Amino acid sequence: MSIIFDNEKKAFLLNTKTTSYIMHIFKDKYLMHVYWGEKMKLPNMLNAIPPRGVGFGANPDSNDKTYSLTAMRLEYPWSGGTDYRNTALDVTFCDGSHTTELRYEKYEIIKGKPALLGLPSTYTESDDEADTLFITLKDALMDLYVVLSYTVYTERDVITRSVKIINNGKNALTIDKVLSANVDFEADYRDYTLMRLHGSWARERHIEYQPLAHGIQKIESHRGASSHQANPFIAMVSKDATEDYGNVYAMNFVYSGNFEAGVEVCELGKPRMFMGLNGYEFAWELKSGDEFVAPEVVMVYSNEGLGKMSRTFHDLYRERLVRGKYRDEARPILVNNWEGTYFDFNEEKIVNIAKEAANLGIELMVLDDGWFGTRNDDTTSLGDWTPNYEKLPGGICGLAKKVNEVGLKFGLWFEPEMVSAVSNLYNEHPDWCIHVKDRNRSQCRHQHTLDLSRKDVQDYVISAINGVLDSANISYVKWDMNRHMTEPGSALLDAKNQKEMPHRYMLGLYRCMNEITKAHPDVLFESCSGGGGRFDPGILYYMPQTWTSDDTDAVERLYIQYGTSMAYPTSSMGAHVSAVPNHQVGRITSLKARGDVAMSGNFGYELDLTNLSAEEKEIVKNQVKTYKMLREFVPSSDMYRLIDPFKKDVCAWEFVSKDKTKVFAGYFRKMIIPNHPDERLKFKALDPDALYRDVERNTEWSGDELMNIGIITEYGNDFTTCTYILEKIS
Ligand code: DGJ
């Protein structure tokens, strides 16, 4: 068992492969956090949680003035009591009071990991992979139960947490805020920085460090999506940490909607790290006897820096978050017509691109936006999922057949969650979108968000999308989502339940994704939200890959893919070669550079292949050939970030197969520096005693030479890139 309860010490010990997490029941009442870090045995609890008071700290127990909760490390803090810091749970009871007191009640340990009803979560394939601890806390006055759950993966350095709130009281209550994880550290805040992945459309998941300071520093989204602006990932990183060294504590939310996460540094300089649903756009009525389950947080501790943290997330996500056939199967190389044609295409044009793609070895033709209703620009037709027969005389079925005939699979774009202001669906059901009665309905890209908190709307989406998927031989779906919520409200919810809409929307969205993906197990689903606006573990549970960004410029992608790799594996990132000048930033980079960068993700093209010169076609053929070799091992390899583009003029990363026999590394220059020194690329994690062959250059290197002396890289001009494919030969 990886979870132990010591009755004498009143302590829980949770052991992952190399880490431990410890809690203690203080004075038989309060659940305290003791430790999260390197693996250890249970300590002497006398010293681990000494009673602690502080000036102006109130005492919860009038008979014992030795401690105040605001000075101690609470495992799951509540509102209204003697802990003045950021709370994990805020509840309003029927009498208007919003004070709780959560006391330890009981625990249970089970083998395996139960699923979270209606929510995405990491999973196990056998009960031996993990154990789960449930700790029940109780507010005695109101008969409110809070069940904290901790799953410990025995062979991974992962603990997942979620929380269930049960109202056993006689009256309904309102949950105003419920976080899924809270950790009170004993560390000195001055030794840590907060790392987060901030961004914007076309500039997602840039790495940012913020020194910790007294008070709350947090990131959040209340846009109704995890968002481009703030990814639901944070890490507390020791100031001396590197890719290979130092302490890192990370949290990632398995959820795709509004969230908050951050660190509060208290008056004693101790950090409190937290993550969960965003309390601003949230309230949930819990009737007597009802339960509410908060989404999962994945927690990873690494004592070997950021690199080990990322590899732990990568392994977990590709093996025990992503599901279905494509979890383990190679992903097809695709061409998407979006940047090649935008809305200006017809059947002939798409078939011609597909023919060219077939000649080049590409395997899948994806038809993007504009195939339905009367959609010739972005002003109409979302929601009207019937083919535009003017553009596609044979409909989707006819086009798919023609694409199949030239030897390619066929894929299709949808934006299922939306309705255009100009559409039949909006005319017929104006109340089916998110809105507040009598208020202006703001548009974004001329569209409204369908109210997926409603079952009838979910049912429409499921049947409309399934209908198209069943009407033709469709092997791939791009599920897009291009606006954030405004005027959050639902026509069906009672006045007092309006704030439930954003979370109900997510539950509805997950139901739609579940039903549609389950009905089409052979289809590869790629999620997208104006690029990477919903790149989160919640969506990855339903769809194994996400379109990383609408920005396909080779240089911009270095930052985006490097930042994304902090939590998400390469097998989850869509990465395509597009035309130059780049449509987002106007930069001109070589076809080689664009290919070299894209090969570190799920590879494809996003341009009109019929416009390529003969010379370019040869390059593409070779890229396709190379990627077919790389996809045999890169998606399941260990990733090592070698040079950080946020700090240097170059960027480099490396993928090493688990058995260390195959390696793919990329070295990417941004701008050249005149009169530069030689630059070397030093590899990591190779077999030092082995001999490796560089398959492209036909040179041989020993593993220790590659790691300790390194290879002098080609310098070239601005945006020069080099890749290295190494095979162990002895
Ligand atoms: C936004 C996506 O990110 C693009 O790739 C493309 O599919 C457009 N939407 C189509 O409207």
Side-chain angles (χ1 to χ4, degrees):
M1 262 285 169
S2 55
I3 302 174
I4 292 162
F5 178 66
D6 184 316
N7 197 25
E8 214 173 293
K9 292 178 176 169
K10 299 276 182 247
F12 296 96
L13 172 66
L14 284 57
N15 279 335
T16 71
K17 192 174 170 201
T18 69
T19 74
S20 292
Y21 190 95
I22 301 175
M23 289 167 282
H24 170 60
I25 308 161
F26 178 71
K27 298 206 178 273
D28 282 334
K29 283 193 281 208
Y30 300 120
L31 186 67
M32 296 291 178
H33 178 74
V34 177
Y35 174 83
W36 183 21
E38 277 181 51
K39 199 163 189 167
M40 60 174 290
K41 294 188 234 26
L42 270 182
N44 179 345
M45 283 303 150
L46 295 175
N47 193 35
I49 290 286
R52 174 69 220 247
V54 66
F56 275 77
N59 313 109
D61 185 343
S62 46
N63 298 320
D64 184 350
K65 304 274 187 251
T66 58
Y67 70 96
S68 172
L69 293 181
T70 207
M72 297 187 65
R73 283 180 278 145
L74 268 185
E75 183 65 15
Y76 196 73
W78 57 88
S79 60
T82 57
D83 182 351
Y84 296 106
R85 293 166 292 178
N86 190 56
T87 54
L89 182 72
D90 295 351
V91 170
T92 305
F93 296 102
C94 64
D95 60 1
S97 69
H98 47 98
T99 293
T100 35
E101 199 202 29
L102 296 180
R103 292 196 176 189
Y104 174 78
E105 175 78 3
K106 60 179 180 183
Y107 80 93
E108 185 192 0
I109 299 171
I110 61 162
K111 288 196 79 55
K113 182 176 197 292
L116 300 182
L117 195 66
L119 284 166
S121 61
T122 55
Y123 59 89
T124 52
E125 285 201 330
S126 106
D127 281 354
D128 295 337
E129 290 178 23
D131 298 310
T132 300
L133 164 68
F134 301 103
I135 301 179
T136 303
L137 310 177
K138 181 180 177 186
D139 181 275
L141 184 68
M142 295 295 185
D143 235 354
L144 171 72
Y145 290 79
V146 174
V147 184
L148 309 179
S149 88
Y150 300 79
T151 294
V152 179
Y153 279 90
T154 44
E155 288 307 314
R156 304 171 190 273
D157 284 323
V158 172
I159 296 175
T160 64
R161 288 176 64 171
S162 69
V163 175
K164 190 197 280 185
I165 313 294
I166 306 168
N167 180 9
N168 275 350
K170 283 197 226 70
N171 300 301
L173 56 83
T174 302
I175 305 171
D176 299 308
K177 173 184 177 186
V178 51
L179 298 182
S180 298
N182 179 89
V183 179
D184 280 3
F185 289 87
E186 187 156 57
D188 184 328
Y189 78 103
R190 289 167 296 192
D191 295 335
Y192 283 87
T193 54
L194 175 62
M195 180 213 252
R196 67 267 194 97
L197 304 174
H198 76 97
S200 183
W201 172 77
R203 184 169 38 79
E204 297 91 338
R205 289 170 300 286
H206 278 219
I207 297 169
E208 188 170 53
Y209 287 92
Q210 176 182 8
L212 294 182
H214 287 95
I216 296 178
Q217 31 262 293
K218 83 174 178 186
I219 59 162
E220 64 180 330
S221 166
H222 39 86
R223 292 167 171 262
S226 49
S227 87
H228 307 81
Q229 288 72 15
N231 194 264
F233 165 87
I234 53 168
M236 251 176 60
V237 181
S238 62
K239 280 190 176 158
D240 58 355
T242 64
E243 281 292 319
D244 309 302
Y245 171 84
N247 282 322
V248 182
Y249 299 90
M251 290 183 179
N252 199 190
F253 203 25
V254 188
Y255 190 65
S256 316
N258 297 334
F259 75 94
E260 59 184 75
V263 175
E264 177 178 11
V265 177
C266 74
E267 59 191 311
L268 301 174
K270 306 293 174 199
R272 165 173 283 182
M273 187 178 187
F274 56 89
M275 178 171 271
L277 293 170
N278 191 302
Y280 169 73
E281 278 296 349
F282 176 84
W284 197 270
E285 185 190 21
L286 205 60
K287 298 210 171 79
S288 172
D290 278 1
E291 301 179 353
F292 177 87
V293 178
E296 176 166 291
V297 168
V298 177
M299 307 204 312
V300 171
Y301 163 71
S302 158
N303 60 354
E304 289 170 37
L306 294 165
K308 183 177 172 197
M309 171 204 73
S310 296
R311 288 186 290 279
T312 305
F313 278 116
H314 295 175
D315 284 345
L316 177 74
Y317 289 170
R318 63 192 169 198
E319 292 162 14
R320 293 294 180 266
L321 174 68
V322 161
R323 302 170 301 163
K325 167 174 153 171
Y326 281 99
R327 183 186 78 176
D328 305 312
E329 259 183 39
R331 316 278 168 81
I333 301 175
L334 64 82
V335 57
N336 177 307
N337 72 306
W338 178 242
E339 288 199 8
T341 67
Y342 293 105
F343 293 100
D344 186 16
F345 62 83
N346 56 25
E347 184 183 272
E348 194 190 350
K349 178 81 218 167
I350 299 302
V351 173
N352 283 341
I353 296 177
K355 280 185 187 154
E356 198 52 69
N359 292 335
L360 300 170
I362 292 167
E363 299 154 313
L364 167 70
M365 172 80 230
V366 178
L367 177 60
D368 210 280
D369 195 355
W371 58 266
F372 49 92
T374 54
R375 190 154 165 103
N376 294 315
D377 55 30
D378 63 13
T379 59
T380 74
S381 302
L382 294 171
D384 300 344
W385 299 110
T386 45
N388 178 332
Y389 290 99
E390 271 174 40
K391 286 178 173 176
L392 308 173
I396 291 299
C397 182
L399 175 62
K401 263 196 198 129
K402 289 194 174 165
V403 168
N404 291 161
E405 275 161 18
V406 305
L408 261 69
K409 292 179 170 181
F410 177 74
L412 196 59
W413 178 97
F414 291 91
E415 195 173 352
E417 298 158 68
M418 296 292 151
V419 58
S420 297
V422 179
S423 64
N424 295 332
L425 186 67
Y426 193 64
N427 283 343
E428 284 160 29
H429 299 286
D431 62 336
W432 271 17
C433 70
I434 288 173
H435 69 282
V436 175
K437 194 167 174 281
D438 299 332
R439 270 196 193 280
N440 176 45
R441 300 175 179 195
S442 304
Q443 293 178 15
C444 176
R445 216 189 183 209
H446 314 280
Q447 64 199 56
H448 300 289
T449 308
L450 284 173
D451 180 1
L452 291 186
S453 71
R454 296 171 58 143
K455 177 138 187 320
D456 54 351
V457 181
Q458 295 164 26
D459 289 343
Y460 168 78
V461 168
I462 293 167
S463 92
I465 306 304
N466 277 347
V468 180
L469 293 183
D470 294 338
S471 75
N473 189 19
I474 296 171
S475 307
Y476 161 106
V477 165
K478 178 174 172 185
W479 182 303
D480 204 350
M481 195 285 268
N482 285 304
R483 71 157 289 176
H484 291 153
M485 289 179 192
T486 53
E487 297 92 30
S490 169
L492 284 198
L493 289 172
D494 289 345
K496 65 178 185 320
N497 300 112
Q498 286 294 322
K499 274 191 154 187
E500 295 177 13
M501 190 282 296
H503 183 60
R504 286 191 183 276
Y505 177 95
M506 294 317 304
L507 297 176
L509 172 66
Y510 290 145
R511 175 177 168 245
C512 293
M513 288 188 164
N514 203 39
E515 297 282 320
I516 293 168
T517 54
K518 254 183 26 206
H520 300 94
D522 291 329
V523 173
L524 170 60
F525 284 83
E526 174 157 351
S527 75
C528 172
S529 173
R534 227 171 29 187
F535 204 129
D536 59 64
I539 299 282
L540 286 176
Y541 181 70
Y542 303 97
M543 307 191 174
Q545 59 189 61
T546 298
W547 180 224
T548 314
S549 176
D550 274 349
D551 199 332
T552 43
D553 170 63
V555 178
E556 291 301 312
R557 274 294 182 121
L558 297 177
Y559 301 104
I560 295 168
Q561 292 176 201
Y562 192 96
T564 303
S565 78
M566 276 298 149
Y568 308 103
T570 179
S571 58
S572 64
M573 296 184 216
H576 302 169
V577 174
S578 60
V580 288
N582 176 270
H583 293 197
Q584 288 73 36
V585 294
R587 188 176 286 131
I588 297 179
T589 55
S590 68
L591 185 49
K592 173 175 169 12
R594 282 171 274 153
D596 285 352
V597 175
M599 277 191 211
S600 303
N602 294 307
F603 189 63
Y605 292 84
E606 182 111 3
L607 42 73
D608 184 350
L609 294 168
T610 63
N611 289 338
L612 295 182
S613 66
E615 193 192 336
E616 286 172 324
K617 283 180 191 162
E618 269 318 295
I619 297 175
V620 168
K621 256 191 200 163
N622 283 328
Q623 288 176 334
V624 166
K625 213 167 115 204
T626 304
Y627 184 72
K628 285 181 181 166
M629 180 200 344
L630 292 178
R631 75 180 171 190
E632 296 301 316
F633 70 95
V634 169
S636 59
S637 288
D638 285 331
M639 183 185 188
Y640 291 84
R641 288 177 294 262
L642 303 178
I643 306 176
D644 182 346
F646 295 95
K647 295 184 181 147
K648 297 268 175 75
D649 298 313
V650 284
C651 170
W653 52 58
E654 177 200 24
F655 299 92
V656 184
S657 65
K658 294 273 179 196
D659 62 4
K660 298 187 186 295
T661 60
K662 295 203 169 74
V663 180
F664 173 56
Y667 180 89
F668 316 103
R669 166 160 308 290
K670 293 185 275 176
M671 307 298 281
I672 55 163
I673 300 166
N675 209 10
H676 60 88
D678 281 344
E679 284 188 3
R680 283 178 189 278
L681 181 64
K682 291 189 185 172
F683 291 73
K684 283 183 186 171
L686 306 184
D687 176 351
D689 301 322
L691 198 60
Y692 289 89
R693 191 168 68 89
D694 178 332
V695 300
E696 288 168 309
R697 298 170 187 81
N698 211 10
T699 47
E700 289 177 10
W701 308 85
S702 67
D704 58 359
E705 182 175 3
L706 286 165
M707 290 192 290
N708 297 318
I709 296 180
I711 296 181
I712 295 190
T713 55
E714 290 147 32
Y715 202 81
N717 300 319
D718 289 349
F719 322 130
T720 294
T721 61
C722 342
T723 56
Y724 301 90
I725 302 171
L726 309 177
E727 275 175 6
K728 181 170 164 176
I729 47 176
S730 64

